[in-house]
Amino acid sequence: MEGLKGFLDQRGATQGMPNMQNIEKEIFEDEDVKAFLEQHKEELTPEAIRKGMSALLEFRMERDARKNNKEVKAPGLEPCLEVHNGFILVNYKRTEEAIREERERKRKRLIHSINMPKNIAEARFSDTALTPERQDVIGELLKFINSYKPNSTEYQKGLYLAGPFGVGKTYMMGALANELSENGVETTLVNVPTYSAEIKQAIATNTVEAKLVSIKNTPILVLDDIGAEMNSAWFRDEVLMVILQHRMLQELPTFFTSNFTIDQLEAHFAHSNKGDQELLKAKRLIERIRFLAKEYFVDGQNHRNPS
């Protein structure tokens, strides 16, 4: 009894509580406690049970607090009864909810989004309408997800999705990243127009190389809306070329979305911002894109501005 009273005193829970005999009676009538004592009846003496009353009470109080959404001793942990060297102890283990939350946090840490739309963070293929225009593309993306192995010696190409505005190209890339994260695979998604502006600003702070390193080496890279950035020979040759050359040599899967087909993108990159024609440099860049990705055209309704 002293053990019970001492425990309750520590918790500041004696005021307004029934007497110790009633508390003890409630403990022994508890279904979880009864099952525990029955399971360990060969290990526990009457003296061990008497000394373990405070542990049994702690177990009940913590369990019931969780059920009733009240303050608990250890958030994210749930109590369980154990026998150790003939003594009854309360141990705490992570709840299923806490395990799921931690798993979700780890999964989300595998997705690096650089200036991408907010809805991409929750994109899933299960929420993507399987229209005739998307069917082949989604099939190829799912095939990639199912077959991709980080340490495989067999190179797996990414996809280059060309098509008009609002047909779901970016959303499908977000779904790709989320599905890959379920398999523990890291993906970086980059909005190319915004990134091009940011990396030009990095020249002043001498941080261009630092901004390139993580993108060059990420296991899976998505370059979203390539060709929509301001036309710049420097960005083409010193940024995109550096990234794509490295990923080609290392055979790192790379995905693209664009309003241009690959042929149209080549014509776009052939014109510098100074009005020069640089066909050879554009062709060299496009050769790397063709090595890294298979081209698919995505058509359909504009879901941003449906008519």
Side-chain angles (χ1 to χ4, degrees):
M1 292 300 211
E2 286 301 317
L4 278 180
K5 187 174 185 308
F7 173 77
L8 291 169
D9 285 339
Q10 281 184 336
R11 291 292 186 95
T14 51
Q15 188 173 359
M17 290 287 289
N19 61 43
M20 294 299 110
Q21 287 85 358
N22 287 342
I23 294 175
E24 188 176 67
K25 181 174 180 291
E26 288 177 5
I27 291 173
F28 284 126
E29 289 177 350
D30 185 279
E31 293 300 322
D32 289 336
V33 172
K34 285 197 293 186
F36 170 77
L37 294 176
E38 176 63 25
Q39 181 184 356
H40 297 280
K41 61 184 178 182
E42 301 299 329
E43 305 168 68
L44 293 171
T45 64
E47 177 66 9
I49 294 172
R50 186 186 68 79
K51 289 181 177 179
M53 289 301 292
S54 59
L56 296 173
L57 179 59
E58 178 182 349
F59 166 78
R60 289 185 73 245
M61 291 177 69
E62 289 294 315
R63 180 203 62 194
D64 292 345
R66 280 162 177 74
K67 287 182 180 178
N68 297 314
N69 295 317
K70 294 182 178 179
E71 185 178 352
V72 296
K73 177 181 177 181
L77 301 176
E78 60 185 355
C80 58
L81 290 167
E82 296 179 356
V83 176
H84 185 69
N85 292 334
F87 291 95
I88 298 173
L89 301 176
V90 182
N91 197 5
Y92 287 84
K93 62 180 182 180
R94 289 200 299 166
T95 63
E96 288 298 321
E97 181 182 4
I99 292 170
R100 283 194 301 271
E101 289 175 352
E102 176 61 21
R103 189 183 298 128
E104 183 65 7
R105 284 193 293 272
K106 286 182 178 178
R107 185 190 71 77
K108 287 184 175 181
R109 284 198 291 267
L110 292 170
I111 302 173
H112 309 286
S113 178
I114 302 176
N115 300 312
M116 296 293 288
K118 184 178 178 181
N119 69 325
I120 299 308
E122 305 301 329
R124 292 287 184 173
F125 287 116
S126 57
D127 297 325
T128 306
L130 191 62
T131 61
E133 297 89 354
R134 295 173 177 171
Q135 190 168 342
D136 289 346
V137 171
I138 291 176
E140 284 297 315
L141 290 170
L142 291 173
K143 188 188 298 182
F144 178 90
I145 292 163
N146 292 330
S147 60
Y148 176 71
K149 294 179 177 57
N151 298 317
S152 174
T153 55
E154 184 177 346
Y155 173 57
Q156 288 181 261
K157 278 192 172 191
L159 271 64
Y160 181 105
L161 304 188
F165 297 103
V167 295
K169 304 183 300 294
T170 300
Y171 190 88
M172 285 189 280
M173 290 300 169
L176 169 76
N178 276 304
E179 297 293 340
L180 285 169
S181 70
E182 297 284 358
N183 299 334
V185 178
E186 184 179 359
T187 303
T188 300
L189 302 102
V190 182
N191 178 266
V192 176
T194 311
Y195 179 72
S196 69
E198 287 185 355
I199 205 159
K200 284 176 187 175
Q201 293 173 359
I203 297 173
T205 56
N206 199 30
T207 56
V208 172
E209 181 59 28
K211 284 184 174 291
L212 286 177
V213 167
S214 61
I215 291 177
K216 282 164 52 178
N217 293 309
T218 185
I220 306 291
L221 175 64
V222 176
L223 292 174
D224 181 59
D225 212 8
I226 189 170
E229 70 281 357
M230 184 179 292
N231 208 340
S232 161
W234 176 82
F235 184 72
R236 179 195 63 202
D237 300 334
E238 303 300 327
V239 179
L240 286 177
M241 189 65 179
V242 170
I243 291 170
L244 298 183
Q245 173 73 6
H246 177 82
R247 296 188 69 81
M248 181 182 74
L249 294 176
Q250 299 302 316
E251 297 188 341
L252 295 170
T254 308
F255 294 77
F256 305 82
T257 75
S258 182
N259 297 130
F260 293 132
T261 65
I262 293 181
D263 286 341
Q264 290 169 338
L265 189 69
E266 182 174 349
H268 167 77
F269 280 131
H271 296 278
S272 76
N273 53 337
K274 296 179 181 179
D276 299 327
Q277 282 277 84
E278 298 181 325
L279 300 176
L280 185 58
K281 288 184 177 181
K283 188 174 289 294
R284 290 181 66 239
L285 185 74
I286 294 302
E287 281 181 358
R288 282 145 184 80
I289 292 176
R290 291 192 188 280
F291 175 87
L292 290 165
K294 297 177 286 186
E295 183 176 14
Y296 284 83
F297 189 79
V298 184
D299 207 349
Q301 181 183 3
N302 186 333
H303 293 273
R304 292 182 201 158
N305 298 297
S307 55

